[in-house]
Amino acid sequence: MKNEHLIELAESARAIGALAEDEQTFTRAVKAFEAHDREAFRGALEQRRLRPHCQRICFWLCIWRCVRVVRLICQEVPTAPPTPAEIVELSKLLQPLRDNADLLKRLLDAMDRGDTQSLATIARDLKIQRFCFFVFLWICMLRCRKFCVTVCTGTRLEPEEDPLGEIRDWLDGLAAVARDEATLTKAFDAVRKQDVKGFRAVLQGVRVLRLCIILCRFFCYWNCFRLCFIVCREFPRVDIEIPQLREFALALTRLGRDEGALKRLNEAFVREDPGAWGTVIEELKLSRFCYYVCQWICYTRCELYCWIFCPPGCLTTFRYIGGYNILTGINAATGLTTDSRAFYESIRLNGILCKQHGGGPAEYRFEYMELPGGSWTAVPTDWIVRTVIGQWQSTVPAPPDDVKPYAVKGTAPNDMVAALTADGWVQVPQESNVNDAGGNFAPNGNLLILDTTKMASWPNIAITAHAGQSTTPPAEGEDKFFGLRLQVRRVGMPATEVTAGICANLAIYNTHYDDVIHKGSWAPQEVDNQLAVVMVDVEEIGTGCAKITNALTIKYTAAHPNLGAVSITMDGPGGPYPAALTDDAAATATDKFGTASVGVNVANLDKCAYLVKMSATILLTTGETVPTDVLDEVAFCK
């Protein structure tokens, strides 16, 4: 299956069904869950070798428990999901809960205990009876999720720093977004349409982006509440006890093994098609459990997509090429750096590298687009140069610490080698304990070193000109332009993939020049593979040995598509003498040629040897270094 959401559902369904195959173990697990007995719950799963699926099973049980609890609290069964206008109203009704810490604590304690009488009283006091199902099902799911994370990750049972914090964050965020119906609707529609940028923009606009994850879960829950009314038409009116819950679990086994049915069910859900949904549910004998199935599918989607909407803690980002910020240091119109340089040779793509993405191990790759009119394509692995992305360290078996570079395209045993797939995905190392033999990986921000010479064909250009002449034809060459972007996802899960930085336009030039004549007529040398064309000569020396008398005509040529400053000086008695360059009328900024004079009476120069030196700056960079100036020289005697 291409849809990772379906893969997650299938694995979850099979794990739930596997637990239900043994009636005694299933019953023991459910009772331990109801009693908040962490050890007993984990022990039951361990007996069936299902500990790796702990959260999947626990989250599924949360749906069952919370529906039961809410049915006992709320007298009015909802007949429709709340509208945006009603959520705005609800936000105002809940404000006393935000302002009264004692009331909020009483609510959460009652929810954790399943004290339905106290919860019903609080609902009346807040005047939210008609929102009772909606509010308390949401709060119950939040609390139950926290329980599951604690149970299944083995988190130590220590007092929470702020046990009310999660609900308070939700109330704060909801109050900000629900100040007006239009803003609330934008946020809801963005989650419903899986518009990550749109959702984050709404939160940024009301300055609650820091509450992204809790608000995403709320809006996704609201959408689930809406969708489950559409496909199932009503809220459950009868509790299901443990024997019926086991029937439900066993029926999910059939769903987990039937890829086609699961796909059709998901498609009906996404299309909001109750007819198609009902057909599949009936085939699988899950009609009695319609609402639970819907909430389970939607909850699983929410868990996945909210990690994408709101990456936790650390967000892998492509931000620099060498030391140039791709947003502020490179001109998007020209592809050149802000100091007018094109890139060449190998460039270091860097920024922030995180171990996790979308709730699991991260992987990333770069993609390029040739401009104009190209399409995004994965950077081939043979364009990648060994890249040290961090350091690995372990104190085991004993200090002194063992430290090694962690490298993409590294070589063992001197390097720890990051996995690189054939299609260019770098799997971020996950080692995280320096006191374990596995060690710890500490990223350094490097993402990839890219050999730009392989991004296009850069044949050398043969030069036929001499100093003082234009290099064209042939042309001196042109920059080529590319886009670069970083894609990040959870390992092997395309649905979690996001773009994490784009350089929209990057100028690159790697062409060299052959048959360039250096040292003029004095000691002519034809040299190849030159970074730029730089040639100087003195007209009066003829074929090389003639002495000058009272005239000195310096001829020069400098050519490169990224040509910088060009200068000529003359060394000798009384010097150095700076030369004034006069470009030919046909010269251009990238093909400079003409004559230069030193501004002295040549007849008055001492009879001696002189050296004319030419220098040209070439505006290229790797992002960190620039090439040395390209030089030429010619000697003469007077």
Side-chain angles (χ1 to χ4, degrees):
M1 282 180 275
K2 295 182 180 180
N3 190 324
E4 281 65 39
H5 167 58
L6 296 182
I7 295 172
E8 175 62 24
L9 285 172
E11 291 183 358
S12 178
R14 289 193 290 268
I16 293 163
L19 180 63
E21 287 174 1
D22 185 306
E23 183 176 358
Q24 289 185 342
T25 305
F26 180 83
T27 301
R28 189 164 66 254
V30 174
K31 288 183 175 180
F33 170 84
E34 287 190 288
H36 285 199
D37 187 336
R38 292 166 167 77
E39 293 303 321
F41 182 72
R42 285 197 293 253
L45 298 190
E46 188 65 51
Q47 187 172 340
R48 298 289 295 162
R49 298 182 180 178
L50 292 170
R51 277 289 296 274
H53 302 282
C54 179
Q55 286 194 28
R56 289 171 172 148
I57 294 168
C58 191
F59 288 167
W60 174 74
L61 287 170
C62 283
I63 296 167
W64 167 73
R65 177 185 183 272
C66 288
V67 169
R68 291 186 75 196
V69 169
V70 172
R71 283 193 72 261
L72 295 172
I73 300 169
C74 306
Q75 296 178 354
E76 297 181 27
V77 177
T79 57
T83 65
E86 288 174 324
I87 294 295
V88 171
E89 179 187 356
L90 173 63
S91 175
K92 295 174 182 175
L93 292 173
L94 290 174
Q95 193 58 37
L97 195 61
R98 169 63 180 87
D99 298 336
N100 188 331
D102 289 338
L103 178 60
L104 181 56
K105 187 176 186 305
R106 281 197 293 119
L107 185 152
L108 296 185
D109 288 345
M111 183 64 73
D112 292 345
R113 295 193 311 270
D115 182 350
T116 58
Q117 186 174 350
S118 295
L119 291 168
T121 300
I122 292 172
R124 285 194 303 272
D125 292 344
L126 292 171
K127 299 179 182 178
I128 59 170
Q129 293 96 321
R130 61 196 173 95
F131 300 114
C132 182
F133 268 82
F134 181 78
V135 172
F136 285 131
L137 184 60
W138 158 245
I139 293 176
C140 181
M141 288 298 294
L142 276 184
R143 299 299 292 176
C144 196
R145 183 187 185 282
K146 183 182 287 288
F147 167 77
C148 289
V149 170
T150 302
V151 169
C152 297
T153 60
T155 304
R156 292 177 61 186
L157 293 177
E158 296 178 349
E160 295 182 71
E161 184 175 336
D162 183 5
L164 312 179
E166 186 175 42
I167 302 297
R168 188 183 289 114
D169 284 348
W170 164 59
L171 292 168
D172 284 345
L174 181 61
V177 179
R179 283 175 187 163
D180 64 82
E181 187 177 338
T183 302
L184 183 79
T185 301
K186 283 181 183 178
F188 179 64
D189 286 346
V191 170
R192 187 170 58 84
K193 296 174 183 177
Q194 297 175 21
D195 178 3
V196 176
K197 290 183 180 178
F199 181 71
R200 292 176 67 87
V202 172
L203 302 195
Q204 184 69 48
V206 293
R207 300 184 177 182
V208 290
L209 188 57
R210 65 183 180 85
L211 305 177
C212 182
I213 191 71
I214 188 67
L215 288 172
C216 177
R217 286 178 178 147
F218 170 72
F219 281 105
C220 201
Y221 160 79
W222 179 11
N223 192 42
C224 292
F225 202 85
R226 180 186 69 86
L227 285 169
C228 291
F229 265 107
I230 291 173
V231 298
C232 294
R233 296 186 171 88
E234 64 177 1
F235 199 87
R237 296 180 178 274
V238 179
D239 284 340
I240 57 174
E241 302 296 336
I242 292 179
Q244 291 79 41
L245 184 63
R246 181 169 174 259
E247 286 182 46
F248 177 22
L250 292 171
L252 285 181
T253 305
R254 296 191 293 273
L255 181 61
R257 292 172 180 169
D258 189 338
E259 181 178 322
L262 184 56
K263 185 176 181 181
R264 286 188 288 121
L265 192 64
N266 185 65
E267 288 172 350
F269 178 83
V270 171
R271 292 197 311 268
E272 303 181 14
D273 184 344
W277 170 276
T279 299
V280 182
I281 287 288
E282 183 64 33
E283 288 175 6
L284 296 166
K285 296 181 171 52
L286 283 167
S287 298
R288 283 188 299 157
F289 311 112
C290 178
Y291 192 84
Y292 299 93
V293 175
C294 179
Q295 283 287 347
W296 169 65
I297 287 176
C298 201
Y299 182 86
T300 304
R301 291 174 66 91
C302 290
E303 282 294 298
L304 175 62
Y305 286 110
C306 284
W307 284 112
I308 300 170
F309 274 66
C310 312
C314 178
L315 179 62
T316 295
T317 305
F318 167 41
R319 186 50 55 87
Y320 303 97
I321 299 178
Y324 288 94
N325 187 309
I326 62 174
L327 301 181
T328 60
I330 299 173
N331 188 315
T334 65
L336 302 174
T337 64
T338 48
D339 55 345
S340 301
R341 295 180 183 273
F343 290 85
Y344 81 130
E345 296 184 350
S346 292
I347 57 177
R348 182 173 63 93
L349 312 179
N350 63 103
I352 296 172
L353 178 59
C354 308
K355 295 180 181 180
Q356 297 277 301
H357 180 83
E363 61 182 358
Y364 65 90
R365 77 174 180 188
F366 277 91
E367 297 178 347
Y368 75 101
M369 176 194 296
E370 189 161 4
L371 301 173
S375 58
W376 290 111
T377 305
V379 167
T381 56
D382 66 341
W383 295 7
I384 300 171
V385 179
R386 176 181 177 269
T387 308
V388 176
I389 59 174
Q391 296 292 324
W392 174 87
Q393 182 183 31
S394 175
T395 58
V396 176
D401 299 353
D402 191 6
V403 177
K404 292 183 181 181
Y406 226 125
V408 179
K409 283 201 161 180
T411 304
N414 293 327
D415 292 331
M416 297 290 285
V417 182
L420 175 64
T421 66
D423 54 351
W425 289 99
V426 178
Q427 295 180 353
V428 181
Q430 295 298 300
E431 295 94 330
S432 297
N433 188 348
V434 72
N435 296 313
D436 182 88
N440 178 67
F441 165 63
N444 61 9
N446 289 341
L447 297 166
L448 208 70
I449 296 177
L450 175 63
D451 183 355
T452 67
T453 67
K454 296 184 176 181
M455 296 182 72
S457 175
W458 308 97
N460 283 12
I461 295 175
I463 298 301
T464 58
H466 290 74
Q469 300 175 341
S470 170
T471 60
T472 58
E476 69 272 5
E478 295 180 338
D479 292 342
K480 296 183 180 180
F481 300 93
F482 300 86
L484 279 176
R485 73 178 184 184
L486 176 67
Q487 298 297 107
V488 184
R489 69 184 189 186
R490 183 171 171 174
V491 171
M493 296 181 67
T496 65
E497 187 173 329
V498 295
T499 299
I502 298 177
C503 180
N505 188 11
L506 189 68
I508 297 177
Y509 191 77
N510 283 298
T511 294
H512 284 60
Y513 302 89
D514 293 338
D515 304 330
V516 179
I517 297 173
H518 278 185
K519 299 187 183 297
S521 302
W522 165 53
Q525 299 176 4
E526 245 184 31
V527 291
D528 294 337
N529 207 37
Q530 295 296 290
L531 183 67
V533 179
V534 176
M535 301 184 293
V536 67
D537 203 356
V538 173
E539 183 175 300
E540 285 76 11
I541 67 175
T543 58
C545 290
K547 295 182 180 182
I548 69 166
T549 54
N550 58 4
L552 177 62
T553 306
I554 300 170
K555 300 185 293 185
Y556 65 87
T557 296
H560 192 278
N562 300 286
L563 185 63
V566 178
S567 64
I568 295 175
T569 59
M570 183 177 77
D571 283 344
Y577 303 92
L581 280 64
T582 303
D583 289 345
D584 187 274
T588 66
T590 60
D591 183 31
K592 296 174 72 72
F593 61 97
T595 59
S597 58
V598 292
V600 297
N601 188 331
V602 176
N604 295 333
L605 290 174
D606 291 345
K607 293 182 178 180
C608 194
Y610 294 84
L611 186 65
V612 177
K613 297 188 290 186
M614 179 178 176
S615 172
T617 298
I618 308 304
L619 299 175
L620 294 175
T621 182
T622 64
E624 292 161 303
T625 63
V626 299
T628 57
D629 287 354
V630 180
L631 309 175
D632 191 20
E633 61 186 16
V634 59
F636 67 87
C637 293
K638 178 175 185 293

